[in-house]
Amino acid sequence: MHLYLHIPFCKQACHYCDFHFSTNLKSKADLVAAICRELELQKDYLPTRELETIYFGGGTPSLLTEAELGQIFDTIHQFYRVHPSAEITLEANPDDLTAEKLISLKPYINRLSIGLQSFHEPYLRFMNRAHNAAESEASVKRAQDHGFDNLTIDLMYGMSEKMLGMEESETASEDRVWQKDLEMAVALNTPHISAYNLTIEPKTVLGNWLKKGKIKSVNEELSARHFEQMIMYLNASRYEQYEISNFARDGHYARHNSSYWKRRPYLGVGPSAHSFNGPSRQYNIANNALYIQSLTEERLPFEMEILTSYDQVNDYLLTSLRTIWGCDLRIIQELAGIDLRETHKKYLNAFMDYGWVFIEDNVLFLTYNGKLFADRIASDLFVV
Ligand code: SF4
């Protein structure tokens, strides 16, 4: 089974981010206590209490002190069993990963996810990241020196200084910057890389700037070009694209994230965290003060959504199609009694004619070209 813990604090707000977090760290101790309370109250949510993966996301979980992390793990060990080979991941920002911090994380964490985003200083400043490019590189090397071999780094593409209104002559070419980012990422020799397209969400600083006309929107052509550039370069560098945004060497797939794509039940703890058990999804309140208050009063602060069989099929289509494991049509048959090859024959035939999908042993896969249209293909196959 799989456990996600949301640590909703950050040192400063990145301009593109619409995750739930607060830059006011005063309530951190109370929030950790509430998380421990929720872990206890939710101990029977999953079919078994044995945890195969634990994932600290956020926010910035590397802001947790050693004592706070220890408190959370004491609670986990009290109410759950952690499998001896469990994958235990913590998201960290480069500026937090001092030698002292890494030593304190070592007894608890066996995989680090480091949010580098870019090595290009103008982009880091544009995103309002708390670190600089030199810190990015140094943090990964320091983590490796401290025995963290199981590392993943996050990158972001689709960025351009032209979004800020600069003229061509004033900017570094976006493709060259992205190529350099990719080369620097590969040189760090981590077994896993995730890379996401910059998206501008309305309730972010970038969303606000876009509305006011201070920046231009993301250029979709540029994003598609960067996506292809990334696949070619990372594949040539022995990284397998096992999910649209995720690349691994030698089978170092992210076990926790893979569980989402394979419809495995997971428990999400902390403000804004989601949980999934097949027939329903739960959404924790995205407000630190109300979350703490609710747990202090022994109430679980979530809303539940009952998923129809069609909802379950559509969720599965959307996530599974993006992976190398593909979408198993037998699972769709089991969930909703539907044979997609019959109900969506027209679409499937068209996608096959375009060379976007193929079916092998009852499993639907995207081709290389199909990956460029993954979301559109999935939504056209949705059952309604
Ligand atoms: S991107 Fe990460 S570090 Fe930046 S504000 Fe969002 S959660 Fe915090």
Side-chain angles (χ1 to χ4, degrees):
M1 295 293 116
H2 308 278
L3 174 65
Y4 172 82
L5 297 113
H6 191 84
I7 309 300
F9 297 104
C10 294
K11 276 187 205 158
Q12 65 187 51
C14 302
H15 286 164
Y16 58 89
C17 179
D18 76 339
F19 293 142
H20 169 67
F21 67 90
S22 166
T23 48
N24 180 351
L25 272 59
K26 277 196 207 129
S27 62
K28 193 149 65 84
D30 289 341
L31 197 121
V32 168
I35 280 181
C36 291
R37 193 75 195 104
E38 190 186 3
L39 279 166
E40 181 182 351
L41 292 175
Q42 289 284 53
K43 61 184 184 297
D44 294 319
Y45 176 80
L46 295 169
T48 80
R49 291 199 198 171
E50 180 150 288
L51 300 174
E52 294 154 58
T53 68
I54 301 174
Y55 191 101
F56 287 83
T60 312
S62 48
L63 290 177
L64 288 173
T65 63
E66 187 175 1
E68 287 163 344
L69 203 55
Q71 191 184 343
I72 294 173
F73 272 99
D74 283 349
T75 312
I76 290 174
H77 288 298
Q78 194 179 347
F79 298 105
Y80 301 82
R81 283 183 304 280
V82 181
H83 192 280
S85 62
E87 175 194 270
I88 306 176
T89 308
L90 181 127
E91 287 179 356
N93 277 348
D95 44 309
D96 289 331
L97 290 180
T98 59
E100 200 185 9
K101 184 80 190 178
L102 287 159
I103 291 166
S104 76
L105 291 174
K106 201 78 187 76
Y108 303 105
I109 304 297
N110 56 31
R111 184 171 182 269
L112 284 175
S113 171
I114 308 180
L116 305 186
Q117 314 310 343
S118 175
F119 297 95
H120 189 56
E121 290 295 345
Y123 288 173
L124 290 170
R125 288 197 298 277
F126 174 57
M127 291 189 267
N128 200 35
R129 295 291 297 178
H131 64 273
N132 59 36
E135 278 173 318
S136 291
E137 216 181 328
S139 70
V140 174
K141 290 189 174 148
R142 205 178 301 119
Q144 288 164 331
D145 288 346
H146 283 80
F148 285 97
D149 298 322
N150 199 359
L151 287 177
T152 179
I153 52 178
D154 275 359
L155 298 175
M156 198 172 272
Y157 60 91
M159 264 176 308
S160 157
E161 283 156 36
K162 294 192 197 83
M163 285 173 69
L164 289 162
M166 288 187 191
E167 296 303 323
E168 187 90 45
S169 57
E170 300 172 294
T171 68
S173 154
E174 301 91 349
D175 296 357
R176 248 186 300 123
V177 171
W178 180 226
Q179 183 61 30
K180 197 165 158 236
D181 270 0
L182 289 168
E183 285 170 13
M184 290 188 74
V186 167
L188 290 173
N189 207 16
T190 59
H192 192 281
I193 296 175
S194 300
Y196 300 93
N197 186 22
L198 171 67
T199 48
I200 301 188
E201 304 294 344
K203 289 182 188 158
T204 60
V205 172
L206 293 188
N208 188 26
W209 286 352
L210 184 65
K211 209 168 110 195
K212 290 185 177 153
K214 283 170 82 176
I215 57 166
K216 294 182 182 158
S217 56
V218 178
N219 179 334
E220 283 181 26
E221 255 175 51
L222 177 81
S223 293
R225 208 166 65 230
H226 283 188
F227 181 69
E228 289 198 70
Q229 192 180 341
M230 164 177 77
I231 297 175
M232 293 215 313
Y233 187 74
L234 294 184
N235 282 350
S237 309
R238 288 197 303 108
Y239 285 91
E240 177 187 17
Q241 187 185 24
Y242 71 102
E243 199 269 348
I244 295 266
S245 307
N246 288 280
F247 297 80
R249 267 186 182 162
D250 307 322
H252 278 89
Y253 307 136
R255 285 165 52 198
H256 184 84
N257 290 352
S258 299
S259 74
Y260 298 153
W261 307 323
K262 293 178 178 175
R263 289 196 86 249
R264 303 268 159 77
Y266 59 86
L267 170 64
V269 168
S272 82
H274 299 178
S275 303
F276 170 74
N277 64 0
S280 72
R281 210 179 283 284
Q282 291 179 188
Y283 305 89
N284 275 358
I285 191 163
N287 178 303
N288 290 0
L290 294 178
Y291 174 83
I292 293 168
Q293 187 189 339
S294 179
L295 266 311
T296 309
E297 294 164 3
E298 305 283 306
R299 278 184 298 108
L300 287 168
F302 66 79
E303 282 182 12
M304 185 190 285
E305 180 190 12
I306 302 295
L307 301 170
T308 65
S309 54
Y310 284 10
D311 291 336
Q312 293 178 55
V313 165
N314 294 341
D315 283 353
Y316 176 60
L317 264 167
L318 198 60
T319 51
S320 65
L321 257 189
R322 297 167 57 96
T323 70
I324 48 159
W325 302 289
C327 174
D328 191 330
L329 300 175
R330 285 160 298 204
I331 291 180
I332 293 182
Q333 181 87 44
E334 276 164 34
L335 285 170
I338 283 174
D339 182 353
L340 215 64
R341 273 164 303 198
E342 285 305 318
T343 55
H344 290 68
K345 198 188 242 166
K346 203 178 81 189
Y347 283 112
L348 282 171
N349 285 343
F351 296 153
M352 284 187 217
D353 287 346
Y354 299 155
W356 290 354
V357 301
F358 65 98
I359 295 175
E360 210 172 85
D361 294 335
N362 278 313
V363 181
L364 176 67
F365 296 96
L366 295 181
T367 62
Y368 179 85
N369 286 338
K371 284 177 190 168
L372 287 169
F373 306 99
D375 288 347
R376 177 189 152 188
I377 294 169
S379 66
D380 281 347
L381 297 175
F382 278 176
V383 293
V384 284

